[in-house]
Amino acid sequence: MVRLRIDPATAYAIFFVLFLYVPVLLIPLFSFNDSTVATFPMKGFTLNGYRGMAADASLINALKNSLMVGIGVSIVSTALGLLAAMGATRYAMPGKSPVMGTIMLPLVVPSLILAIALLVILRQVFDIPLTLWTVAAGHVLVCVPFSMLVLMSRLEGFDKGLEEASNDLGENAWMTFWRVTFPIALPGIIASLLMCFTISFDEFVMAFFLSGTDQTLPVFLYSQLRFPQRLPPTLALGSSILAVSVVIVLVSEWLRRFGVQSNKPGAF
Amino acid sequence: MTQGDNIISIQSVSKHFGPVKAVDDTSFNIKRGEFFSLLGPSGCGKTTLLRILAGFELPTSGEVTIDGQPMSTVPPHARPTNMVFQSYAIFPHLNVRENIAYGLRKRRLGKAETARIVEQALELIKMPGYGERRSDQLSGGQRQRVALARALVCQPKVLLLDEPLGALDKKLREEMQIELRQIQRTVGITFVFVTHDQEEALTLSDRIAVMSRGKVLQIDHSTRLYEAPNCREVAEFIGTMNILPGTIGEVSHGRANVAAGTHGAFEARTDGSAPRPGTPVLIAIRPEKLQMSWERPGLSVNSLAGKVGAVAYFGDRSHFYVDVEGCEKPLAVALQNGERRLDGSDLVGKPVWLSWEPDSAVLLPA
Amino acid sequence: MAVAEPGQRLGWTASGDQWNRWLRRHEWARGYLLMSPTILVMLAMLVAPIVALVVMSFWTQHVLEIDRTPTLANYWHLIEPAGPDDETAYWLGIPFPFKRAVYIVLLLKSILMSFTATVAVILLAYPMAYFLAFRVKQHKMIWLMAITLPFWTSYLLRVFAWKLMLGFGGVINSGLMKLGLIDQPLEFLLYNPIAVVITLAHAWVAFAILPIYVSLEKIDRSLLEAASDLGDRAITRFFRVTLPLSAPGVIASSLLVFIPTVGDYVTPTLVGGPTGIMIGNSIQSLFGKMNEIPLGSALSLVMMLSVTLIVCLFLWAVGYRKMQRSIA
């Protein structure tokens, strides 16, 4: 008799993946359900949720805001992350660890605390009105450490001798950056851009505290969660946001690992 | 350009990394067109000195002059030197052609001229047709050649090589040594070559500077370094050297009588200035200059008695390690294996006599 | 270089020359110069706001105006002992004799909930990380990506998904009713501390796997072979070699989960209900509709300091520094 034996470790891995994915997959699943409540048994298949979503002008506006903030934040954070990563991987500096520790702080400090601290200095100290700019500032704060980590792993992999060689062959620091460092770090830079974009695009707490009248997509989504009758378009919106993140993360992860593993940036 | 023979002049250069003196008050000159090696164990400061020449490190004190120009304010990209890196530092995002042409950008030569120079360089390193290869498609030896070509097309006044053969296997390394020497003769550029491999330095170089703990111990031609080292450290770093402690006795006609404890007195030639009687010295003899016999040899040569402690077989020759009273280490004797003997271990424990010509030994300061 | 003319070589203006030379001599200065934009931005947007928060916590709110006289009133407000007329508050049967015990109870409750979630995360993540490090031979990258992918998707949506799962008319209740296992929806699923802990564990587990996985992957396989060779069975070997060597990863993961979750706001708001609220909700309402910004600042700082203290005690208790040194 053939007995199908599953190794307990594999069984656990399967359980784990289910635990991780099933709750999240409910959102896209019920977004096609022809009902205003997310309950079993499911009713018929419909795209009404998506139609409702596309017809919502304030949603489109929030999407536009999120795209603007996301693109701006990813460029600024990646530039700042690249500078920090280059400094950290190239130079021996006294006091490097406390400086790096401070830059990494937003990784562990609850974003609520970061948000209210920014809120205090913006509103109480400088009396700056809350706009998309303040949201973007908050997002840069959260994105820089991620960007720096991604780029550091990329830059650590490459020989310091390459930059010296370029210098030795007659190029100054600026041209060496453009002819050697930048092309080699490019996969990491693209990965960082994409990663920062997703973080900003998905971020809720900062945006919730720091936005004025202009909402970003997650803040808009949050405002919709309170209304049960708007569940179908909200689920459709949630599914779309998930899909965007998944695609971007897959591309950026692929780029990052591709770069680190084979070290063949000649393809770019 | 009336700098005479010397292209590089190093004047009291020191480089300190915190408390560590990587280069310690060093001065010497390198002649135009010569193949000059910096030889020493790892950590002796040879690479730091090379990087000071390239401009990657600034000396803590002292000055480097290249072709009459003081270098202290000149950054690496403006120096008339180019370097072949230990790791080769081939740009991974560029192909061979683009790597070689990297340093030509600033000359604004135009496409055709650049292509011609690159083609010529590929000929020189015997890699025509490899222009489109990427760095990961090259073997270690090929990368080394590309690094060499890339530096040479810049027409430096001095080419700096940082252990360029270190990463290659023994056979390839020997081939590359010959090729490197040929290329140096063809292009006529001064080469400054850093290595820890004494054999490599001896075969390749016109002159060698032996370094230890940040200081240059001796600068000389290969044969003089081997036959006439100026101190125990050089003698023991280059090849094997047997050392017998003694005291100078009578000195006359370029010969000194050296008393060596229970072994009596030996005669030795004094190179250069005669040492004063009573000074402690070391008698240094190369293994191949020692003879070994069962019986006591005649009085015209120096001799002493010992006992064979161990035998090391090297194929073409064997080293016999002879324990001698008063010596901290056994003396090594190299003998050619002129006839087939399948086992030399039966000699272990036998008493033997060692002897050498007075001219074969070198007297070193104790 | 070889082609540059002597005049061109320097390429520096006379005034800039000394500065350049100084920079070339001092590696640290070049490093800091390069990092300066990032450092300045972080100073302006991270350090300055936190300083402002600290300063604010020593001021007081008077209806619509802020009184800028430095005082410890806000901190006193949080820990003022109960007077004889005040009713003593109880949590888990323990009396809290404070005038406004709600803040301290809420802080302790948040720490306890976070701690439970952290333990759950480690228990869930460790076997998975072990599986990834030791069992998966092919397509490791695909596995890793599949495991970490959820962390990069919207936190808000992942939390919302649990609301769909656990709700009164949610997936679990309607599913169980459809299967005929229950007649009435189970009310205890949503809007309580357990729902918050489950949701937090689910939200952070993907992130927690990475440090554990890295520490397991780093273990020299010959050490395991050596343990077996010296007579350990698989289980003994795990407890004597694998687990101690992966401890730094476990500790890193615990901190990466524990520290941010104590101050979480989204999860308790969406799935916590009245009994499942955490300190973050309290801080939010002090900054929001209650308009008690100085008190809110003080409360956030007390929370951060408590968390820091707990983390330091924890690291000291497990001897983290010694561990790191001996393994590295």
Side-chain angles (χ1 to χ4, degrees), chain B residues 62-247:
Chain B
E63 177 68 287
V64 171
T65 312
I66 300 180
D67 208 15
Q69 302 266 357
M71 286 289 130
S72 62
T73 57
V74 184
H77 64 87
R79 291 196 179 202
T81 59
N82 282 118
M83 183 140 155
V84 176
F85 287 78
Q86 187 171 16
S87 63
Y88 309 141
I90 303 294
F91 300 119
H93 59 300
L94 305 177
N95 64 24
V96 168
R97 179 185 306 284
E98 291 162 333
N99 261 287
I100 294 178
Y102 191 92
L104 297 176
R105 186 191 68 93
K106 282 191 139 179
R107 280 207 257 167
R108 307 191 190 288
L109 293 171
K111 267 193 182 155
E113 179 65 4
T114 304
R116 197 186 58 78
I117 292 177
V118 171
E119 221 40 66
Q120 236 175 12
L122 285 170
E123 293 280 344
L124 182 73
I125 59 168
K126 299 184 182 143
M127 284 175 66
Y130 278 80
E132 306 308 318
R133 296 271 185 112
R134 277 213 323 271
S135 71
D136 56 332
Q137 297 169 309
L138 301 176
S139 69
Q142 290 169 334
R143 289 164 149 256
Q144 199 271 325
R145 287 159 203 247
V146 173
L148 186 65
R150 182 177 72 178
L152 284 175
V153 294
C154 297
Q155 300 175 351
K157 287 177 179 159
V158 179
L159 186 74
L160 309 168
L161 302 104
D162 185 9
E163 308 231 8
L165 309 179
L168 307 180
D169 60 57
K170 196 168 185 297
K171 238 192 148 89
L172 194 57
R173 195 157 65 215
E174 280 162 11
E175 279 173 37
M176 283 307 301
Q177 283 171 9
I178 298 168
E179 214 171 302
L180 209 55
R181 190 71 235 227
Q182 275 172 353
I183 289 175
Q184 197 260 336
R185 295 225 169 97
T186 317
V187 295
I189 293 172
T190 312
F191 276 32
V192 181
F193 186 91
V194 159
T195 182
H196 66 269
D197 182 335
Q198 34 119 349
E199 238 174 88
E200 192 168 277
L202 293 181
T203 10
L204 281 171
S205 326
D206 293 318
R207 287 198 308 151
I208 301 167
V210 182
M211 289 187 73
S212 174
R213 289 175 307 240
K215 291 217 177 261
V216 170
L217 302 174
Q218 185 172 2
I219 302 180
D220 240 319
H221 305 286
S222 305
T223 41
R224 281 198 57 84
L225 278 182
Y226 188 79
E227 304 293 355
N230 66 359
C231 63
R232 183 178 186 158
E233 236 179 319
V234 173
E236 289 187 323
F237 186 69
I238 294 176
T240 312
M241 188 64 101
N242 295 308
I243 303 282
L244 269 172
T247 316

Side-chain angles (χ1 to χ4, degrees), chain A residues 30-193:
Chain A
F30 281 106
S31 74
F32 298 108
N33 188 24
D34 194 4
S35 161
T36 54
V37 285
T39 53
F40 285 116
M42 291 182 66
K43 308 273 167 39
F45 176 86
T46 175
L47 288 174
N48 283 339
Y50 291 85
R51 282 191 203 104
M53 176 182 89
D56 192 334
S58 49
L59 184 151
I60 301 299
N61 194 38
L63 173 67
K64 239 189 282 173
N65 293 339
S66 269
L67 287 176
M68 277 188 333
V69 171
I71 291 169
V73 163
S74 65
I75 293 169
V76 172
S77 309
T78 302
L80 292 173
L82 182 61
L83 288 175
M86 279 169 58
T89 49
R90 292 288 184 282
Y91 299 99
M93 296 177 272
K96 182 152 82 178
S97 11
V99 168
M100 298 295 280
T102 310
I103 299 179
M104 303 280 204
L105 215 52
L107 284 180
V108 284
V109 175
S111 37
L112 174 72
I113 301 294
L114 297 176
I116 56 160
L118 270 170
L119 196 64
V120 165
I121 201 163
L122 288 171
R123 297 297 301 129
Q124 308 293 324
V125 180
F126 294 111
D127 200 25
I128 297 169
L130 297 177
T131 57
L132 289 177
W133 289 101
T134 53
V135 175
H139 285 179
V140 166
L141 192 61
V142 189
C143 289
V144 166
F146 279 102
S147 166
M148 185 176 72
L149 285 178
V150 168
L151 290 164
M152 270 172 73
S153 73
R154 178 74 199 165
L155 291 178
E156 265 161 7
F158 95 78
D159 183 6
K160 199 180 169 181
L162 294 176
E163 282 170 344
E164 284 186 347
S166 164
N167 212 217
D168 182 68
L169 291 166
E171 296 293 12
N172 59 24
W174 177 245
M175 283 309 293
T176 294
F177 175 78
W178 287 111
R179 291 189 74 188
V180 178
T181 319
F182 184 79
I184 293 177
L186 194 58
I189 291 172
I190 297 172
S192 161
L193 285 172

Side-chain angles (χ1 to χ4, degrees), chain C residues 166-179:
Chain C
L166 303 172
F168 189 74
V171 171
I172 291 183
N173 273 331
S174 60
L176 289 177
M177 276 164 67
K178 180 81 170 65
L179 293 171

